[in-house]
Amino acid sequence: MKPIIAVIGGSTCTPEETVVAEETGRLLAHHGAVLVCGGLGGVMEAAAKGARANGGTTVGILPGADPRAANAYIDIPLATGLGEMRNFLIVRTAHALIAIGGGVGTLSEIVLAQRIGKPVVGLHDSFRTTVDIPRVESAAEAVQWALGRAQQEVV
Amino acid sequence: MKPIIAVIGGSTCTPEETVVAEETGRLLAHHGAVLVCGGLGGVMEAAAKGARANGGTTVGILPGADPRAANAYIDIPLATGLGEMRNFLIVRTAHALIAIGGGVGTLSEIVLAQRIGKPVVGLHDSFRTTVDIPRVESAAEAVQWALGRAQQEVV
Amino acid sequence: MKPIIAVIGGSTCTPEETVVAEETGRLLAHHGAVLVCGGLGGVMEAAAKGARANGGTTVGILPGADPRAANAYIDIPLATGLGEMRNFLIVRTAHALIAIGGGVGTLSEIVLAQRIGKPVVGLHDSFRTTVDIPRVESAAEAVQWALGRAQQEVV
Amino acid sequence: MKPIIAVIGGSTCTPEETVVAEETGRLLAHHGAVLVCGGLGGVMEAAAKGARANGGTTVGILPGADPRAANAYIDIPLATGLGEMRNFLIVRTAHALIAIGGGVGTLSEIVLAQRIGKPVVGLHDSFRTTVDIPRVESAAEAVQWALGRAQQEVV
């Protein structure tokens, strides 16, 4: 089974977050992981763009009922019609999560991950004084961490 | 329409939290509000006990599929079978929320409330250094705050 | 624990269905049951009107996020924001269901009830040639059937 | 955007249904569609096996929280933890559906598809006297029908 790694973060983001999200997507695809994200813009789009550039599979779990809301780099747009409750599905379906930047939606995903015991790592996430999760400083470290934890989840 | 107020907090709690949750439930019922909670023990049970003591209606939105998991003070146990995703339904269906004590499940509810713009107030909640929400110091103030905000929601 | 009985049926209905739904609601309240329905018009509104007239408690599990979409006889409008997926919650949270008239949404609820083993009875339902469920000919019989089955569920 | 086609049917099935489901999966992959299914055995497994044999991508939307419950031919197991409510997500996320054989779970998916206006075709489905949907007699016709309708959905 391929590892399924979620990259979570804001639908708008800084240039630095864009760069690190795209690099994370590239590395995930390089290591054969499936990328899951919320399917919209910002960090989600950058990560999907990176994964797509390396031939990876990208899944977007969308809040609305229209798959065409997905960004251009999503192979499999899952239009749930669930609104923000789709955040829960991202957390539930990923083997591990990488948080980059992010606002309150991303924070809800981190907290839900903690709630159900799903591994989540912060990579320049916005919540350093808010939630106590492992942190790393580079896309390479984040991907290594997530793949290591995913392996424990799926074995 | 009666206001629907959620009391959120841990399934285990301190004696002080029990007292304040029960007092909150009593006051909500006194003012004609419907109490919504997660239906289990701790803060949820204390709030429901207080509401019931004053003749209020108590709704428990349960994670499992068996309504018998509800505490003894729940009039209407809604057994969703949704697991932790039921937290979202508590947030969605309340007009306003009061957080007492709480662990990471409660934090997820606070953050989801912020995410969808639902009013939430902290009453001796556990997240003073974590999330930026209004705070009050007594059950009476919490109930007044929640009812005031609920009124704006439902008008 | 009070029995929780769902009355399911179309948001538009015939005068005959209106009469039988209202009578069903009245009898459910008379016997101390909580009425759950989809919260909108037609059969849902008639059943809630009948229950309210007898002092019963009425719960409306709404598809949208706005509690004000509930009909005038709903005490507790639960605005789920889940769209048609809210049908599943009606089925899940009821101890037994009574189907009156109905279109394809009602059929989905009957089939979901069969799928998870929840008791459902047809009272002049629209699906006599479609699904194999018990049928009765009067509101009194439907309520007796549903309360009997609910008792087995909750004990 | 690749078309996303759901194949729905029983977790146990006849040898004839197995053959037609596998052929359907093969043809969907041949035409570049993503296969979505419930991820378990029977029709779901046969369709995924066929799609995988032709290099297609297979998504399994599972009822439980453990991705390891997926059959061996699922590339992307989405473990929702939603129970039977996951049926709704299959219907919601597909552009079109093909029903093969099936019991009451499959019927619930057909009816939910009708409810939200999602195209669904029967291929030797079990509900010829139950629901009024288009029917075809071969895997090739079913795939042609589904891809034609999906194209209208996603354009």
Side-chain angles (χ1 to χ4, degrees), chain D residues 14-143:
Chain D
T14 67
E16 291 75 14
E17 288 167 356
T18 304
V19 169
V20 76
E22 195 173 334
E23 175 70 2
T24 300
R26 261 197 303 271
L27 289 169
L28 286 171
H30 175 73
H31 289 287
V34 172
L35 173 73
V36 167
C37 68
L40 301 176
V43 161
M44 305 173 246
E45 184 167 358
K49 186 179 179 186
R52 178 71 78 79
N54 257 354
T57 299
T58 58
V59 178
I61 300 185
L62 296 159
D66 186 349
R68 290 167 297 188
N71 70 60
Y73 308 102
I74 295 297
D75 296 315
I76 306 177
L78 300 180
T80 66
L82 291 178
E84 295 304 319
M85 199 187 273
R86 75 83 148 80
N87 288 6
F88 187 92
L89 282 177
I90 294 170
V91 174
R92 180 65 92 186
T93 57
H95 299 142
L97 300 93
I98 299 170
I100 300 172
V104 74
T106 304
L107 179 56
S108 78
E109 291 167 322
I110 293 173
V111 175
L112 287 169
Q114 292 185 300
R115 181 74 182 99
I116 65 172
K118 195 76 78 169
V120 56
V121 69
L123 170 58
H124 304 291
D125 66 286
S126 312
F127 314 104
R128 302 221 154 201
T129 62
T130 311
V131 287
D132 182 25
I133 54 172
R135 259 98 191 178
V136 293
E137 294 304 319
S138 70
E141 287 172 281
V143 169

Side-chain angles (χ1 to χ4, degrees), chain B residues 79, chain C residues 6 8 36 61 85-97 105-106 108-120:
Chain C
I8 58 176
V36 167
I61 301 186
M85 200 187 272
R86 75 82 148 79
N87 288 7
F88 187 92
L89 282 177
I90 294 169
V91 174
R92 180 65 92 186
T93 56
H95 298 142
L97 300 92
T106 305
S108 79
E109 292 168 322
I110 293 173
V111 174
L112 288 168
Q114 292 184 300
R115 181 74 182 101
I116 65 172
K118 195 76 79 170
V120 55

Side-chain angles (χ1 to χ4, degrees), chain A residues 107 111 114-115 129-131, chain B residues 8-10 17 98-111 114 120-135:
Chain A
L107 179 57
V111 174
Q114 292 184 301
R115 182 73 182 100
T129 60
T130 310
V131 287
Chain B
I8 58 176
E17 289 166 356
I98 300 171
I100 300 172
V104 74
T106 305
L107 179 56
S108 78
E109 292 168 321
I110 293 173
V111 174
Q114 293 184 300
V120 56
V121 69
L123 171 58
H124 304 292
D125 66 287
S126 311
F127 313 105
R128 304 223 152 201
T129 61
T130 310
V131 287
D132 182 25
I133 54 173
R135 259 101 191 176

Side-chain angles (χ1 to χ4, degrees), chain C residues 56-138:
Chain C
T57 300
T58 57
V59 178
I61 301 186
L62 296 159
D66 186 349
R68 290 166 296 188
N71 69 60
Y73 308 101
I74 296 297
D75 296 314
I76 306 176
L78 300 180
T80 66
L82 290 178
E84 294 304 318
M85 200 187 272
R86 75 82 148 79
N87 288 7
F88 187 92
L89 282 177
I90 294 169
V91 174
R92 180 65 92 186
T93 56
H95 298 142
L97 300 92
I98 300 170
I100 299 171
V104 74
T106 305
L107 179 57
S108 79
E109 292 168 322
I110 293 173
V111 174
L112 288 168
Q114 292 184 300
R115 181 74 182 101
I116 65 172
K118 195 76 79 170
V120 55
V121 69
L123 171 58
H124 305 291
D125 66 287
S126 312
F127 313 104
R128 303 223 151 198
T129 62
T130 310
V131 288
D132 181 26
I133 55 172
R135 259 101 192 177
V136 293
E137 293 304 319
S138 70

